[in-house]
Amino acid sequence: MNPESPIGPPRGFRDILPTEARELGVIEQTLADVFAASGFMPLHPPLLEYGAADSIKRRRIQFLDSDGSLVALRPDLTTSVARLVAGRYRDMTGVLRLSYIAPVFREEPAMSGGAREILQAGVELVGADGALADAEILALLVESLERCGLPMRESTVQVGNIRLLTSLFAALPDDMRTEVLRALRNGDIAGGLSRAREAGMPADQLRRTGRALTGAEGEAPEAAAAGELCHAIDLARERWPGTLTGWGVPNLSLVPALPYYTGIVFEAMHPGAGVIASGGRYDLLIGAFGLPRPAIGFAIDVLQLHRALFAEAWRPPSQRPLLLLRANADERATMRCAASLRAAGLAVALGDLVERAGRAVIHAEVIDERRVKLDDGRVADAIALGREIAS
Amino acid sequence: MRPLRFALAQGLLLNEALATLRAIGLDVSGVTPGGRRLVVDGGEIEFVLARPSDIATYVERGAADLAIVGKDVLLETEARVIELVELGFGACRFVVAAPRGAVERSLDEYRHLGTLEVATKYPNVAERHFRARGVAVEIVKVAGSAEVGPLVGLADWIVDLVATGSTLRANGLAVVEEIASSTARLVANPASYHLRRREIAPVVERLAVRAAAR
């Protein structure tokens, strides 16, 4: 390989070859169908958004456009949808159901093995508020995963609530509370709690809060908070009972890294693949673009979902076999033979094929316009062969 | 499901980490500091020994579920893990240090030359610190013994991790300012923490009680 012109893609990006692409295609199609069956309409936000100089969003891949403006490969589709809704649906007050299957891009340090291109499939329900909307989106996430073939365990889907979590620190001054929540978003529970102690949180309250964040499941001491989380899960189970009775675990310590959530939050995780989906209510994000609207949504990391499915021994349904047709000397007869095989419902390709991506192939040689000779020496008519392979 | 995997940093923290785990009733008898076996079966928990800076990677990527690791490693690697308990041992500080009596001279140099050279094993911590301070520096990454840097003319200042400060003193260096303090922490992989909460919570609870009693 010439190091001056590398043959591989840039760090954090990779080629997806046919075996994997076909499996991803099956997952994407399933998700698109599930989203559509709940009334969600696909849309395509642009690949580029305007960048920003703030350091909190350092994980963006940014560069200068030819006119000098700072642009970023979209790091997140929810923010793009929020911007789009605030701009294009300014005069609309009702409900929007939007869905997407598209890549997002995030900066990762070199040598960390982290992908910089992440394929997301998600929905956003804009303009709907309240427990029903929360439960519908939570249920749709579980339905999406199960329809793709992911077996649910009790702990696969975890449900928290940023508003309830914030209320645990209600007695702290605003700036301290913000700092505690920032620590929790960064995964620093120990640091968040010690900051709360420094800010004067009483010892018994600190102990109860600590237990809510690090205790075993079901030990959430704030009865009202636990009740609200369980209610959301119960309601969602009515909409999608699923294959596992009692899916979903209330978990107040669930704090997604993205800063815009304001209410219910949820994540789906798998022991082999980590977090495969996350979502929640973000009632202030669209308002930040000038159009206050309640909203809730989720995004599935399609590659991580694929990883989890693979770990569960999932394989896509097999495709109809491909007939590889060897030409004979008569070119016109060869083309006509291919046409009659296709007309008989067969998938046909001329010549041989190296990359088969797991697809079964049948070799045959052209005899005349409607007959081929199979590898076992048998001569078959196009229509009969089509019927044979279909059955 | 495999047993809960607990990564331990080889080095300064190991003995104290083992004592702490023993004190909360975990069987760490199979783990021998300096031994050759790096993966040790401890019944319900499997222990893995690794270099401190690799521990964060193991936990971030889910190869280990839990670990005891210094906050210093987390600050340098910026690993995305859940920090559960401040254990209170292994205290050390990230500091900026300069040759004793040379601070004024290097500040004068900074005025004239516009930049300071800083040798460190911790380029991320150093870079973040000086950027936040608005000081222009050139970070010189070294793999060990940054404190030699000013002596041999490699750098004006160093950013290093100090426990007692005796190494600095021995090399004629003095602390210019403190960047951050660090103690050992119990950390968890985010997905493991939520998925295996029932197994992890008792460990967290007992370690928190012990840390609070220190």
Side-chain angles (χ1 to χ4, degrees), chain A residues 262-278:
Chain A
T262 54
I264 190 172
V265 287
F266 36 84
E267 286 191 338
M269 14 204 146
H270 181 270
V275 176
I276 52 185
S278 70

Side-chain angles (χ1 to χ4, degrees), chain A residues 63-147:
Chain A
F63 46 90
L64 286 178
D65 202 351
S66 52
D67 66 359
S69 53
L70 185 62
V71 291
L73 293 172
R74 60 176 173 229
D76 165 46
L77 281 154
T78 301
T79 309
S80 292
V81 170
R83 175 197 55 70
L84 178 156
V85 166
R88 302 294 293 273
Y89 292 95
R90 188 159 287 282
D91 302 325
M92 165 263 27
T93 48
V95 168
L96 289 169
R97 288 174 178 260
L98 305 170
S99 70
Y100 51 79
I101 300 179
V104 298
F105 304 89
R106 295 192 186 150
E107 194 50 271
E108 286 286 332
M111 302 296 162
S112 65
R116 295 202 285 173
E117 179 174 6
I118 298 155
L119 180 59
Q120 289 193 334
V123 301
E124 312 292 350
L125 174 54
V126 178
D129 206 349
L132 274 184
D134 287 5
E136 190 194 353
I137 297 302
L138 174 57
L140 183 61
L141 171 61
V142 179
E143 177 182 359
S144 302
L145 298 174
E146 286 208 275
R147 285 277 174 87

Side-chain angles (χ1 to χ4, degrees), chain B residues 107-123:
Chain B
L107 287 178
D108 190 50
E109 209 176 290
Y110 183 60
R111 272 189 291 276
H112 287 278
L113 303 180
T115 176
L116 283 170
E117 292 165 322
V118 177
T120 185
K121 281 197 285 184
Y122 310 98

Side-chain angles (χ1 to χ4, degrees), chain A residues 152-175:
Chain A
M152 281 288 134
R153 298 184 178 84
E154 193 199 342
S155 57
T156 299
V157 172
Q158 311 242 343
V159 182
N161 190 311
I162 299 298
R163 180 174 43 76
L164 296 174
L165 178 71
T166 310
S167 72
L168 294 182
F169 301 96
L172 300 186
D174 283 356
D175 55 332

